[in-house]
Amino acid sequence: MVKKQEHEISLSSFRIQDSFWSYFQDLVKDTVIPYQEQILKDELPDVEKSHAIENFRIAAGESDGEYYGMVFQDSDVAKWLEAVAYSLALSPDPELEKRADDIIALIGRAQQEDGYLNTYFTVKEPEHRWQNLHDCHELYCAGHMIEAAVAYYEATGKRDLLDIMCRMADHIDHRFGKGKTRGVPGHEEIELALLRLYRATGEDRYLHLAQYFIDERGTEPDYFEEEEKNRGWHYWSTDGSNRNYAQNYAPVRKQDHAAGHSVRAVYLYTAMADLAGEIHDDALWQACLRLFDNTVNRQMYITGGIGSTVHGEAFTTDYDLPNDTIYAETCASIGLVFFARRMLELKPDRRFSDVMERALYNGVLSGMQHDGKRFFYVNPLEVIPGLSGQQQEYRHVLPKRPKWYACACCPPNIARLLTSLSVYAWGEAIHPKTTDADRTDTLYSHLYIGGTFTSKAGGGVTIKTETGYPWNGTVRYTVLPEQTTADFTLSVRIPEWCSAFSFSLNRNVLDQETLDIRDGYLYLNRSWKNGDLLELTLDLPVRRIYANPLVRENAGRVALMRGPLVYCLEQEDNGAQLQTIRIPKDAALSAFETTDPVLGSYTAVSVSGLRLIPDGSLYSERPAKAESVPLHAIPYYLWGNRSEGEMRVWISEN
Amino acid sequence: MVKKQEHEISLSSFRIQDSFWSYFQDLVKDTVIPYQEQILKDELPDVEKSHAIENFRIAAGESDGEYYGMVFQDSDVAKWLEAVAYSLALSPDPELEKRADDIIALIGRAQQEDGYLNTYFTVKEPEHRWQNLHDCHELYCAGHMIEAAVAYYEATGKRDLLDIMCRMADHIDHRFGKGKTRGVPGHEEIELALLRLYRATGEDRYLHLAQYFIDERGTEPDYFEEEEKNRGWHYWSTDGSNRNYAQNYAPVRKQDHAAGHSVRAVYLYTAMADLAGEIHDDALWQACLRLFDNTVNRQMYITGGIGSTVHGEAFTTDYDLPNDTIYAETCASIGLVFFARRMLELKPDRRFSDVMERALYNGVLSGMQHDGKRFFYVNPLEVIPGLSGQQQEYRHVLPKRPKWYACACCPPNIARLLTSLSVYAWGEAIHPKTTDADRTDTLYSHLYIGGTFTSKAGGGVTIKTETGYPWNGTVRYTVLPEQTTADFTLSVRIPEWCSAFSFSLNRNVLDQETLDIRDGYLYLNRSWKNGDLLELTLDLPVRRIYANPLVRENAGRVALMRGPLVYCLEQEDNGAQLQTIRIPKDAALSAFETTDPVLGSYTAVSVSGLRLIPDGSLYSERPAKAESVPLHAIPYYLWGNRSEGEMRVWISEN
């Protein structure tokens, strides 16, 4: 019977001090959060207008303006508040907290008597509440605000937003469910949020409501088709009969492949995995395993991007992974991290944490400019200026990050993920001594991130992690028990991509033969003493990666990776016409540290490649001649930070 | 000063009896023309409705129905009538001619008092005549009916349709021109038709009107922008400010690259080349050379397909030639044949005739099912069932030819081209002895097609051509003068793709050193005697063709050609997942004759290839293993005739 094997740690129990990630966490705290606050308050010129805070003022009757923005504009405020909560948990900031409290109070004033909260329908179409779940994102917005409420409560202890959102959740619970009005959310999010609310409040009805929404999806008669038939009006020109778009092609326990809008999909799967663990539902867990497997083994870009097409921002078919017309929304990679994290809870297995790491270091980070002020929605693996962003097929594939978007889901999503990174790094299984006297506590190190982790394991322990990862492969865990010793198992992931690694304990290399390694995790159970040092050394050669031959787009091509990082070629370093570049099969790949005024310090990859020289003919019996060229590859997440130009991940191999 | 160096022959002067082309001509006569007639008359079930003849009945006041179809539905009738005319010129058919006469009489009755002829505007919106030249195709429909009229007059001597269309042309001439109402056709066609009408009637005003339309395009202020401003209504949601779509980005003599809707473009260029020869306009000729060069050396598929994108059915940018999201409309390849033929008139040069041949044997013929009853609009170079025709990006790329189209421009266009093939095969330059006593007549063999060509050259001569081309490379020209001898030059193209050829005269091989070859044409001037036999032998190895490295899509790939034929792999012969196939660089390519119940007899290409074997992983450090597989390639024009499946022209090379 499936159950949670480990649990997310509390955010503040792991304080990150890391040579790689602290930059991003500081960037979010110092730059991204204030920058996004200004945008939400319409205080920045030359940026796509947000109006999100103003919409709450209008809904609260405190401003006479017109509603402006997407039907889900409220969620931008919610995701920003969630990021603020995580940031406050990491480092107190009374002024920021005061401004957040003010916004929370405003949200409270925008809430309706009956608990309903949604500025679009309050201001624009009160008569249309709850009638278009397929398009109108009321449950989605509620879900994001619930997540913010839980986060803010956990970070500050303040219940105001939590109470507001409990009233909204109760309003929803009052309306929807078995024996009540039927409903299925068009854009999943409420499900995973209700599960968080359930754990924060202990109220079973939120668990049951989450389960209702999950169970109802894809059942007959299809809710969305019924709704569309009865409704008679549209917000968008949607097609409720497309039973992939909103993952309603089958009841969730029967689903076997990732389909439809990719963000919706992974938000659903995240909730499914979470629910499976909460209610010990093996059928749901098996469905999650199938969906995870299909997603990452058939429909995922090497960067952890998912969603191959702009049309419906959706999954397409197995192995259809075009690099240039790609969608790979930042939010979808973020959602994949959520999904993988929930799967890890049910089974600590590197197949989940490896994916989490892949998405984080590549497809998520690429969504943000290195200065934190520009964002990608779409994360291509091949960019061609003159076509990308211009020609219809490629119009969504921008060669340069914009400052903001009319549909601004991705920027605050990155902010909340980076500020809550701690919960993805570690997991814990603490067993009450009274009932599980024979079981030891286990601490899982999923990601290699420097910092100080404090846990109740073994009666209380602090683990200090030091690493230069991902640039180098040494990770040092120093164990500091609260008492003389701490009996617990330290479990450390060994990534599948790593073919050579070693562990040492107090500087004595451990015999690989004797190691207890299961599902890619070392399990080291001992009575830890003060200062015990477990050191992991991962070999980090530059690796040539080949796509499955079923991926049409990558036939004859190779990608370069080092550790978890995907590399790419940019025009800035390698000239234009990157399709003329070939990497000979026997060319040596070398990694070296370098520093760039814009990109900062990073490890580059150099290789002696070939460049085909075009002649005048369009078609010829003579293969083009080639000249040797030095190639300089940079980590994918850093692309698009310098001049606008070509970029390519998959390079011809010769 | 540019002038016509040769002229199209009259259709009936070259009777085709050819092992390759007679099949298609008979197919058009026996199957395609009757089949299309039934469709135009709405007599076939299970076919996209045409209603084209019925529209004429309604316009003539002889039926009470509602207009149905595209705004240019009339042109389907026109192109069919043109094909009928050519067919009647090739072989009399009194019953067909009677039915055509009836339709022509109906067309006459649908013509308005003032000469105006267009069923859409006569029936639906008489108040909107001539107000939306950008979208509404009135001049386009007139142009096609003028072409039909000239063809029908030349084939049958009957003037009825010619008189009808002279009245329409006069109506147009009365309205548009310098000092009259300004106008530029949105879809070019009238220009080339008026030039044909000018030659058929000798009326200078048609030449001048053609020149007016050509000269006015792209001048300031832009006609289409003005029209849109003044009009206030739309037929389609068009964008008159897109100055590529209708080739109005510059005055035609300043244009330097093919742009916009590809069929419109080549119809314009055809007229420009024709006009340049008629009025000896060097600036226009230079523009034609630039446009031809850009089209065929930067924007043409290996099949002679043009137009890379479905969006606007248009050219995109140089070297942007995607194989799977391709457009390559059949009509565009047909238009490229027209353009190349007009260029040949101005300069007999194989760079034009090679392109004409490439398009004819590949991108044109692929537009029609081998049984003549299904047609492609889009001619892809890569088809993936499950995506092609389904997923949005590929929805226009059908894996199977439909029976008919709502927008049915291509099927009758193929019919009229195949029935008039004679004029593309031969050209003649006959010099009146009185004025050009010192110049010999010249007959140009542009295409290798068996048949009997009768010309006034050298006082009268018949040339009998026998060949098994394109399957074998021997072409025999037997000269039969009307008198004892005929003094003229026989000029025969030597394709650029042929690296080894020989000529023999009366079975004596001619010394290559002594041959007079200019611009890819042999010139053999002599006093021809009865039974003189010129034999050309072209070496026909299977050739590996590489695209310019600037073509992103074809990096690392090879295509196979033999003679003028492009080859492709189909799933039917080679299994699915054609992207896993590789042709080793050193693999021997062999051609062999074969017969298929559906495809008939053809020459296939076999090669021992490799097939990569997918394993379970999506990304791996191990390149996939490969197994040897025999590959069977068929001529591209035959693809899609058997089971529905994958097809691919550009194959990975290894």
Side-chain angles (χ1 to χ4, degrees):
Chain A
M1 199 174 62
V2 67
K3 60 176 185 170
K4 298 205 176 184
Q5 303 294 320
E6 61 99 290
H7 293 83
E8 267 188 24
I9 61 169
S10 79
L11 185 60
S12 54
S13 66
F14 178 46
R15 303 258 158 201
I16 293 174
Q17 288 157 291
D18 183 70
S19 59
F20 185 83
W21 288 106
S22 288
Y23 168 80
F24 293 102
Q25 288 206 325
D26 291 345
L27 189 70
V28 171
K29 178 167 64 73
D30 300 334
T31 302
V32 179
I33 286 177
Y35 177 78
Q36 295 187 356
E37 184 182 355
Q38 286 185 287
I39 290 170
L40 295 173
K41 291 178 170 170
D42 305 311
E43 293 171 356
L44 275 192
D46 304 328
V47 169
E48 188 78 45
K49 177 171 153 184
S50 165
H51 210 257
I53 297 291
E54 183 65 11
N55 289 339
F56 279 99
R57 288 201 195 97
I58 299 166
E62 298 168 11
S63 169
D64 290 332
E66 279 280 312
Y67 182 92
Y68 173 88
M70 295 286 180
V71 73
F72 46 80
Q73 207 79 347
D74 290 0
S75 66
D76 295 346
V77 177
K79 278 187 275 189
W80 177 81
L81 272 175
E82 190 183 341
V84 168
Y86 299 143
S87 181
L88 292 174
L90 299 180
S91 64
D93 180 340
E95 286 183 26
L96 175 62
E97 187 168 335
K98 171 71 175 65
R99 297 198 304 278
D101 287 342
D102 290 346
I103 290 173
I104 288 167
L106 171 64
I107 292 169
R109 298 195 298 278
Q111 188 169 35
Q112 305 296 289
E113 281 294 313
D114 59 358
Y116 184 83
L117 177 67
N118 183 291
T119 69
Y120 178 84
F121 283 98
T122 298
V123 173
K124 293 267 284 188
E125 305 184 46
E127 73 281 13
H128 283 154
R129 267 191 194 183
W130 300 129
Q131 287 173 39
N132 186 344
L133 301 188
H134 187 266
D135 301 343
C136 284
H137 291 68
E138 285 157 290
L139 293 167
Y140 169 87
C141 287
H144 274 303
M145 200 62 88
I146 288 169
E147 288 204 89
V150 171
Y152 205 78
Y153 168 65
E154 288 174 350
T156 65
K158 292 177 180 170
R159 291 193 57 98
D160 305 73
L161 190 54
L162 191 69
D163 290 341
I164 291 167
M165 293 318 296
C166 283
R167 283 198 294 277
M168 176 60 167
D170 293 342
H171 173 96
I172 295 168
D173 185 45
H174 191 72
R175 180 181 185 92
F176 295 106
K178 280 213 161 46
K180 299 177 260 184
T181 306
R182 192 170 178 228
V184 178
H187 193 316
E188 299 91 331
E189 158 67 23
I190 186 80
E191 303 89 339
L192 68 87
L194 285 168
L195 288 162
R196 290 185 71 175
L197 187 62
Y198 154 68
R199 283 190 292 272
T201 63
E203 293 288 356
D204 281 348
R205 63 179 180 280
Y206 302 140
L207 172 69
H208 298 147
L209 185 57
Q211 185 175 356
Y212 168 76
F213 284 137
I214 290 170
D215 289 352
E216 200 68 12
R217 182 173 304 274
T219 59
E220 299 299 333
D222 184 68
Y223 172 76
F224 299 117
E225 289 175 12
E226 299 280 298
E227 181 189 80
E228 193 174 2
K229 234 181 291 171
N230 298 332
R231 190 190 324 126
W233 62 276
H234 293 280
Y235 181 79
W236 284 322
S237 70
T238 56
D239 180 3
S241 67
N242 173 349
R243 294 188 63 168
N244 277 331
Y245 182 64
Q247 298 73 50
N248 50 321
Y249 67 85
V252 296
R253 285 171 189 75
K254 305 271 189 196
Q255 297 197 7
D256 57 5
H257 65 279
H261 188 277
S262 57
V263 178
R264 294 174 194 232
V266 281
Y267 282 15
L268 169 65
Y269 308 155
T270 301
M272 285 166 62
D274 197 352
L275 179 66
E278 292 292 352
I279 65 172
H280 314 303
D281 186 327
D282 282 326
L284 202 51
W285 164 237
Q286 292 302 323
C288 288
L289 284 173
R290 289 194 301 273
L291 292 166
F292 189 87
D293 177 61
N294 177 264
T295 301
V296 308
N297 291 322
R298 303 206 173 191
Q299 301 203 69
M300 182 183 71
Y301 288 93
I302 191 171
T303 54
I306 50 174
S308 307
T309 180
V310 62
H311 301 286
E313 307 180 318
F315 289 104
T316 58
T317 62
D318 290 355
Y319 304 107
D320 178 44
L321 295 163
N323 298 306
D324 52 359
T325 58
I326 186 171
Y327 205 65
E329 183 178 339
T330 305
C331 286
S333 290
I334 291 172
L336 184 59
V337 172
F338 298 161
F339 182 26
R341 184 67 190 87
R342 290 294 171 217
M343 295 300 275
L344 265 182
E345 288 188 316
L346 301 179
K347 188 171 196 296
D349 186 327
R350 71 177 176 195
R351 74 176 130 154
F352 306 122
S353 29
D354 281 0
V355 165
M356 196 166 74
E357 181 183 64
R358 183 191 291 273
L360 269 175
Y361 282 89
N362 300 289
V364 171
L365 276 190
S366 66
M368 185 168 69
Q369 192 86 349
H370 205 53
D371 68 4
K373 293 191 173 179
R374 289 174 173 272
F375 302 90
F376 274 135
Y377 201 101
V378 168
N379 295 277
L381 272 67
E382 181 175 340
V383 167
I384 318 109
L387 290 175
S388 303
Q390 292 179 37
Q391 174 64 27
Q392 188 66 39
E393 291 87 344
Y394 309 93
R395 199 158 288 172
H396 58 290
V397 184
L398 304 182
K400 186 178 174 182
R401 294 174 184 82
K403 290 181 182 171
W404 199 248
Y405 290 85
C407 173
C409 49
C410 301
N413 227 351
I414 298 182
R416 70 179 181 136
L417 179 63
L418 291 177
T419 44
S420 61
L421 191 62
S422 296
V423 306
Y424 302 92
W426 285 93
E428 57 187 4
I430 310 290
H431 303 286
K433 289 289 174 219
T434 48
T435 57
D436 278 315
D438 56 336
R439 299 180 63 185
T440 65
D441 299 336
T442 306
L443 298 181
Y444 292 95
S445 172
H446 300 307
L447 300 175
Y448 313 116
I449 300 179
T452 308
F453 174 41
T454 307
S455 170
K456 295 206 174 81
V461 66
T462 292
I463 298 178
K464 203 175 155 195
T465 311
E466 295 162 296
T467 181
Y469 192 82
W471 309 125
N472 75 57
T474 302
V475 192
R476 287 192 191 84
Y477 300 91
T478 305
V479 180
L480 304 162
E482 277 182 25
Q483 286 134 35
T484 319
T485 60
D487 293 350
F488 71 95
T489 301
L490 180 55
S491 180
V492 176
R493 176 177 65 105
I494 305 142
E496 195 194 2
W497 55 254
C498 184
S499 53
F501 64 89
S502 66
F503 280 102
S504 71
L505 184 63
N506 297 326
R507 311 218 175 265
N508 298 314
V509 174
L510 301 178
D511 180 359
Q512 298 252 355
E513 297 297 310
T514 67
L515 296 178
D516 176 13
I517 296 176
R518 281 168 275 143
D519 298 326
Y521 278 80
L522 167 78
Y523 287 84
L524 194 60
N525 178 11
R526 61 186 257 124
S527 189
W528 295 87
K529 292 191 299 291
N530 195 53
D532 273 354
L533 172 67
L534 179 69
E535 188 169 310
L536 165 63
T537 306
L538 300 163
D539 202 13
L540 287 185
V542 183
R543 312 191 305 283
R544 285 174 190 255
I545 306 294
Y546 301 92
N548 189 301
L550 298 177
V551 180
R552 291 185 304 119
E553 300 281 338
N554 298 337
R557 299 195 194 175
V558 66
L560 305 181
M561 289 189 75
R562 181 171 180 271
L565 295 172
V566 174
Y567 279 72
C568 67
L569 298 182
E570 278 200 307
Q571 182 175 339
E572 171 101 13
D573 305 306
N574 305 286
Q577 304 295 350
L578 294 175
Q579 83 281 357
T580 64
I581 298 285
R582 296 188 179 200
I583 298 181
K585 285 200 173 88
D586 55 0
L589 304 161
S590 57
F592 65 97
E593 285 178 50
T594 185
T595 298
D596 176 274
V598 176
L599 308 180
S601 292
Y602 68 97
T603 298
V605 169
S606 74
V607 52
S608 179
L610 295 172
R611 179 185 276 280
L612 299 183
I613 307 163
D615 64 8
S617 63
L618 184 52
Y619 302 109
S620 168
E621 289 183 56
R622 293 176 305 280
K625 287 185 182 149
E627 60 183 1
S628 283
V629 281
L631 301 177
H632 179 96
I634 66 166
Y636 172 77
Y637 79 87
L638 287 171
W639 90 269
N641 274 285
R642 298 171 296 170
S643 60
E644 201 173 317
E646 286 182 37
M647 184 276 291
R648 178 174 276 241
V649 168
W650 290 98
I651 317 294
S652 294
E653 193 183 54
N654 206 9
Chain B
M1 199 173 63
V2 67
K3 61 177 184 172
K4 298 204 175 183
Q5 304 294 320
E6 59 98 290
H7 292 84
E8 268 188 24
I9 61 170
S10 79
L11 186 59
S12 54
S13 67
F14 178 45
R15 303 259 158 201
I16 292 174
Q17 288 157 291
D18 183 71
S19 58
F20 185 83
W21 288 105
S22 288
Y23 169 80
F24 293 102
Q25 288 207 324
D26 291 345
L27 189 70
V28 172
K29 178 166 65 73
D30 299 335
T31 302
V32 180
I33 286 176
Y35 177 78
Q36 295 188 355
E37 183 182 355
Q38 285 184 287
I39 291 171
L40 295 174
K41 291 178 171 171
D42 305 311
E43 293 171 356
L44 276 191
D46 304 328
V47 170
E48 187 79 44
K49 177 171 153 183
S50 166
H51 210 256
I53 297 290
E54 183 66 9
N55 289 338
F56 279 99
R57 287 200 197 98
I58 299 165
E62 297 167 12
S63 169
D64 290 332
E66 279 280 311
Y67 182 92
Y68 173 88
M70 296 284 180
V71 74
F72 47 80
Q73 209 78 345
D74 290 0
S75 66
D76 295 346
V77 178
K79 279 188 273 189
W80 177 81
L81 272 176
E82 191 183 340
V84 168
Y86 299 144
S87 180
L88 292 175
L90 300 179
S91 64
D93 180 340
E95 286 183 25
L96 175 62
E97 187 169 335
K98 171 70 176 63
R99 297 198 304 278
D101 286 342
D102 289 346
I103 290 174
I104 289 167
L106 171 64
I107 292 169
R109 296 194 300 276
Q111 188 169 38
Q112 304 297 288
E113 282 294 312
D114 59 0
Y116 183 83
L117 177 68
N118 183 291
T119 70
Y120 178 84
F121 283 98
T122 297
V123 173
K124 293 268 285 186
E125 305 185 47
E127 73 281 13
H128 282 153
R129 268 192 195 182
W130 300 129
Q131 287 173 39
N132 186 344
L133 302 188
H134 187 266
D135 300 344
C136 285
H137 290 69
E138 285 157 290
L139 293 168
Y140 169 86
C141 288
H144 274 302
M145 201 62 88
I146 288 169
E147 287 204 89
V150 170
Y152 205 77
Y153 167 66
E154 289 174 351
T156 65
K158 292 177 180 171
R159 291 194 57 100
D160 305 74
L161 190 55
L162 192 68
D163 290 341
I164 291 167
M165 292 318 296
C166 283
R167 282 198 295 277
M168 175 60 166
D170 293 341
H171 172 96
I172 296 167
D173 185 46
H174 192 71
R175 181 180 183 92
F176 295 107
K178 280 213 160 47
K180 299 177 259 184
T181 305
R182 194 170 176 228
V184 179
H187 194 316
E188 299 90 332
E189 159 66 23
I190 187 80
E191 303 89 337
L192 68 84
L194 285 168
L195 288 162
R196 290 185 72 175
L197 188 62
Y198 154 69
R199 283 191 291 273
T201 63
E203 294 287 354
D204 281 348
R205 64 180 180 279
Y206 302 140
L207 172 69
H208 297 147
L209 184 58
Q211 184 174 357
Y212 168 76
F213 284 136
I214 289 170
D215 289 351
E216 201 68 11
R217 181 173 303 274
T219 59
E220 299 299 335
D222 183 68
Y223 172 76
F224 299 117
E225 289 176 12
E226 298 279 300
E227 182 189 78
E228 194 174 1
K229 233 181 291 170
N230 296 333
R231 190 191 325 127
W233 62 276
H234 292 281
Y235 180 79
W236 285 323
S237 70
T238 57
D239 182 3
S241 68
N242 173 348
R243 294 188 62 168
N244 277 331
Y245 183 63
Q247 298 73 49
N248 50 321
Y249 67 84
V252 296
R253 287 171 189 75
K254 305 270 188 197
Q255 296 196 9
D256 56 6
H257 65 279
H261 188 279
S262 58
V263 178
R264 293 174 195 232
V266 281
Y267 282 16
L268 169 66
Y269 308 156
T270 301
M272 284 166 62
D274 197 351
L275 180 66
E278 292 292 352
I279 65 172
H280 314 304
D281 187 325
D282 281 325
L284 202 52
W285 164 237
Q286 292 302 324
C288 288
L289 285 172
R290 288 193 302 272
L291 291 166
F292 189 87
D293 177 63
N294 177 265
T295 301
V296 308
N297 291 322
R298 304 212 173 184
Q299 301 204 70
M300 182 183 72
Y301 288 93
I302 192 171
T303 54
I306 50 174
S308 307
T309 180
V310 62
H311 301 285
E313 307 180 318
F315 289 104
T316 58
T317 61
D318 290 355
Y319 304 108
D320 178 45
L321 294 164
N323 297 307
D324 52 0
T325 58
I326 186 171
Y327 206 66
E329 183 179 340
T330 306
C331 286
S333 289
I334 291 172
L336 184 58
V337 172
F338 297 161
F339 182 26
R341 185 66 189 88
R342 291 291 171 218
M343 294 300 275
L344 265 182
E345 288 189 316
L346 301 180
K347 189 170 195 296
D349 185 328
R350 71 178 176 195
R351 75 175 128 153
F352 305 121
S353 30
D354 281 1
V355 165
M356 195 166 76
E357 180 182 66
R358 182 191 291 272
L360 268 175
Y361 282 88
N362 300 288
V364 171
L365 274 189
S366 66
M368 185 167 70
Q369 192 86 348
H370 205 53
D371 68 4
K373 292 189 173 180
R374 290 175 172 270
F375 302 90
F376 274 136
Y377 201 100
V378 168
N379 295 277
L381 272 67
E382 182 175 340
V383 167
I384 319 110
L387 291 176
S388 304
Q390 292 180 38
Q391 173 64 27
Q392 188 64 41
E393 291 86 344
Y394 310 92
R395 199 156 287 173
H396 58 289
V397 184
L398 305 181
K400 186 177 172 182
R401 293 175 186 82
K403 290 181 182 170
W404 199 248
Y405 291 85
C407 174
C409 49
C410 301
N413 226 351
I414 299 182
R416 69 179 181 135
L417 179 64
L418 291 177
T419 45
S420 61
L421 192 62
S422 296
V423 307
Y424 303 91
W426 286 92
E428 57 187 4
I430 311 289
H431 303 285
K433 288 290 173 218
T434 47
T435 58
D436 278 314
D438 55 339
R439 299 180 61 184
T440 66
D441 299 336
T442 306
L443 299 182
Y444 292 96
S445 173
H446 299 307
L447 301 174
Y448 313 117
I449 300 180
T452 307
F453 174 41
T454 306
S455 169
K456 295 209 174 80
V461 67
T462 293
I463 298 177
K464 203 174 157 195
T465 310
E466 295 162 297
T467 181
Y469 193 83
W471 309 124
N472 75 56
T474 302
V475 192
R476 286 191 193 85
Y477 300 92
T478 304
V479 181
L480 304 162
E482 278 180 25
Q483 285 134 35
T484 321
T485 61
D487 293 350
F488 70 95
T489 301
L490 180 55
S491 179
V492 176
R493 177 177 66 105
I494 305 142
E496 194 194 3
W497 55 255
C498 184
S499 53
F501 63 90
S502 66
F503 280 102
S504 71
L505 184 63
N506 295 326
R507 310 216 176 266
N508 298 313
V509 173
L510 299 179
D511 180 359
Q512 298 252 356
E513 298 298 310
T514 67
L515 296 179
D516 175 12
I517 296 176
R518 280 168 276 143
D519 299 326
Y521 278 80
L522 167 78
Y523 287 84
L524 192 60
N525 178 10
R526 60 186 255 126
S527 191
W528 296 88
K529 291 191 300 290
N530 196 51
D532 273 355
L533 172 67
L534 180 69
E535 188 169 309
L536 165 63
T537 306
L538 300 162
D539 202 13
L540 287 184
V542 183
R543 311 192 305 283
R544 286 175 189 253
I545 306 293
Y546 302 92
N548 189 301
L550 298 178
V551 180
R552 290 185 306 121
E553 301 281 338
N554 298 337
R557 298 195 193 174
V558 67
L560 305 180
M561 289 189 74
R562 181 171 179 271
L565 295 171
V566 174
Y567 278 72
C568 67
L569 297 182
E570 278 201 307
Q571 181 175 339
E572 170 102 14
D573 306 304
N574 304 286
Q577 305 296 350
L578 294 176
Q579 83 281 356
T580 66
I581 298 286
R582 296 187 179 200
I583 299 182
K585 286 201 173 85
D586 54 0
L589 304 162
S590 58
F592 64 97
E593 283 178 52
T594 185
T595 298
D596 177 275
V598 176
L599 308 180
S601 292
Y602 68 96
T603 298
V605 169
S606 75
V607 53
S608 178
L610 297 171
R611 178 185 276 279
L612 299 183
I613 306 164
D615 64 9
S617 62
L618 184 52
Y619 302 107
S620 167
E621 289 182 57
R622 294 175 304 281
K625 287 185 182 149
E627 61 183 0
S628 283
V629 281
L631 300 177
H632 179 97
I634 66 166
Y636 172 77
Y637 80 88
L638 287 171
W639 88 270
N641 273 285
R642 297 170 297 169
S643 60
E644 201 173 314
E646 288 183 35
M647 183 277 290
R648 179 174 274 240
V649 169
W650 290 98
I651 317 295
S652 293
E653 194 183 53
N654 207 9

